[in-house]
Amino acid sequence: IDDYLAFFPKDWGDEIRGIASVLEVDIGDVFAYNIAYEIFGLCTSVVAQDDTGHIYHGRNLDFGLWPAMNWSDVQWDLTTDLRDTLFSVNFTQNGALLYRGVVFGGYIGALTVMKADALSITVDSRYDDNHDKYLIDYLLNPTAAHQWLALTTRLAVEDYNDYDAAIEFIHTQSFIGPCYIIIGGTKRDEGLVLSIGPNMTLFEEWRIPNALPQNDTQQAPFYVLETNYDHWDEPPPFDDRRYPAEMCLDEVGSKGINWNTLFNVLNGRPNRNRLTTYTALMDTKNGAMVAYKQYCDEVDCSPW
């Protein structure tokens, strides 16, 4: 474990050691917990702008498809347990607010973060043919040449103060596994999805002006939307959260998009499902961020 932690940025390896010490648990368990989202998660992220160019960023974080389901209430055990560890955090430096985030207790990476008047970041899991290959290679031979997703996004929000600089930094990084990074800014059209392959095998940008809705003569593109599948491919029929969300957003339109309507999209099924732990909303320009624990116990709730 020390070999892995030695390649964590800054002194963050010591954060893992500190958490293990305080909780009196094995350090290997804390390390595994902190890389679990890199291996498997199911989420939805949206960056949308209204007709004035004001940017809103929202996300659902879906996680817990293992190890078991509680069949008495048809809920994933791990998802239920994770909800109890959630909290919102103000990260400070020298007594001043640096950025805000939504975190699971004991987790040190950045899955949902916002720096006021600068940028917002969420991440979604991505799967490709190399998903396991580069991960296994890294675990067998750890190196400073590659980095974990959620640690890289934490570096981006801590060390960079604007949208373009954060994107440029991320572009230089080699990731251990495939991923999506969704970034919002403060100005018109500042929203994109980065589709990233491990070991620099892919880096694709999908920005609002070229995004959604597509081929709509009634309105220009005003949002990007990412679940867990490449936007240039069709989502699988067993997990189509993309098109229901697209239909809602297209109906709302740029004139109707705001804090409340974006929440309604993310709160709608199947984007809210039995794996959803929380919904977060971020308004970087105004520095506002809220998050809500989410539950899906209706009879027709999707398992994911």
Side-chain angles (χ1 to χ4, degrees):
I1 296 300
D2 285 340
D3 290 342
Y4 300 134
L5 298 185
F7 295 118
F8 274 30
K10 302 184 181 181
D11 60 352
W12 298 350
D14 288 338
E15 293 184 9
I16 297 293
R17 295 184 182 93
I19 292 167
S21 175
V22 169
L23 296 180
E24 298 182 344
V25 296
D26 186 86
I27 192 171
D29 292 338
V30 180
F31 170 75
Y33 171 68
N34 272 271
I35 69 168
Y37 187 86
E38 318 260 345
I39 300 171
F40 190 84
L42 295 169
C43 298
T44 301
S45 291
V46 178
V47 180
Q49 64 187 10
D50 65 18
D51 56 352
T52 72
H54 193 93
I55 300 292
Y56 301 91
H57 190 161
R59 75 107 87 248
N60 283 353
L61 194 145
D62 305 342
F63 191 82
L65 193 65
W66 185 84
M69 177 171 277
N70 181 346
W71 290 104
S72 64
D73 55 6
V74 198
Q75 298 292 322
W76 296 103
D77 287 347
L78 182 55
T79 305
T80 300
D81 291 341
L82 284 172
R83 288 191 190 103
D84 291 336
T85 74
L86 281 168
F87 57 102
S88 297
V89 182
N90 290 335
F91 294 87
T92 62
Q93 187 176 66
N94 299 323
L97 177 64
L98 185 61
Y99 64 96
R100 303 173 67 187
V102 183
V103 303
F104 296 103
Y107 188 86
I108 70 168
L111 302 176
T112 306
V113 287
M114 181 199 71
K115 180 177 282 186
D117 205 29
L119 70 152
S120 55
I121 301 177
T122 60
V123 304
D124 290 2
S125 296
R126 179 175 180 265
Y127 309 98
D128 65 11
D129 294 338
N130 299 317
H131 183 65
D132 55 347
K133 176 185 183 302
Y134 290 103
L135 173 63
I136 293 170
D137 287 349
Y138 181 86
L139 292 174
L140 292 174
N141 299 288
T143 169
H146 313 298
Q147 192 52 265
W148 300 104
L149 164 63
L151 300 185
T152 303
T153 51
R154 179 175 168 186
L155 280 172
V157 75
E158 283 194 7
D159 295 349
Y160 296 89
N161 293 319
D162 69 82
Y163 172 84
D164 290 322
I167 295 169
E168 183 177 351
F169 162 71
I170 291 169
H171 203 168
T172 66
Q173 303 303 295
S174 179
F175 291 82
I176 295 168
C179 59
Y180 300 107
I181 301 178
I182 302 87
I183 306 178
T186 60
K187 304 180 183 70
R188 180 181 292 276
D189 294 337
E190 286 192 342
L192 87 167
V193 175
L194 300 176
S195 301
I196 298 172
N199 199 24
M200 291 188 163
T201 53
L202 172 70
F203 192 93
E204 196 266 354
E205 298 183 358
W206 193 39
R207 296 175 180 264
I208 284 178
N210 301 311
L212 298 167
Q214 294 180 341
N215 304 317
D216 189 332
T217 60
Q218 301 301 312
Q219 59 181 341
F222 69 96
Y223 69 95
V224 291
L225 165 70
E226 182 55 61
T227 55
N228 302 99
Y229 308 100
D230 294 336
H231 68 84
W232 55 88
D233 288 334
E234 293 292 316
F238 60 83
D239 183 27
D240 180 13
R241 288 165 285 122
R242 178 198 299 172
Y243 289 128
E246 280 190 23
M247 290 175 61
C248 291
L249 286 162
D250 291 353
E251 183 175 347
V252 169
S254 61
K255 291 184 178 180
I257 198 71
N258 56 43
W259 195 266
N260 294 323
T261 53
L262 182 54
F263 176 80
N264 289 340
V265 172
L266 293 168
N267 191 52
R269 302 188 303 274
N271 292 93
R272 176 174 59 87
N273 55 70
R274 297 185 193 275
L275 282 174
T276 307
T277 57
Y278 69 84
T279 296
L281 300 171
M282 296 173 282
D283 184 333
T284 305
K285 186 65 177 177
N286 293 334
M289 181 177 190
V290 296
Y292 306 89
K293 290 183 181 180
Q294 283 283 29
Y295 304 85
C296 199
D297 51 13
E298 296 91 333
V299 173
D300 59 346
C301 273
S302 169
W304 49 74

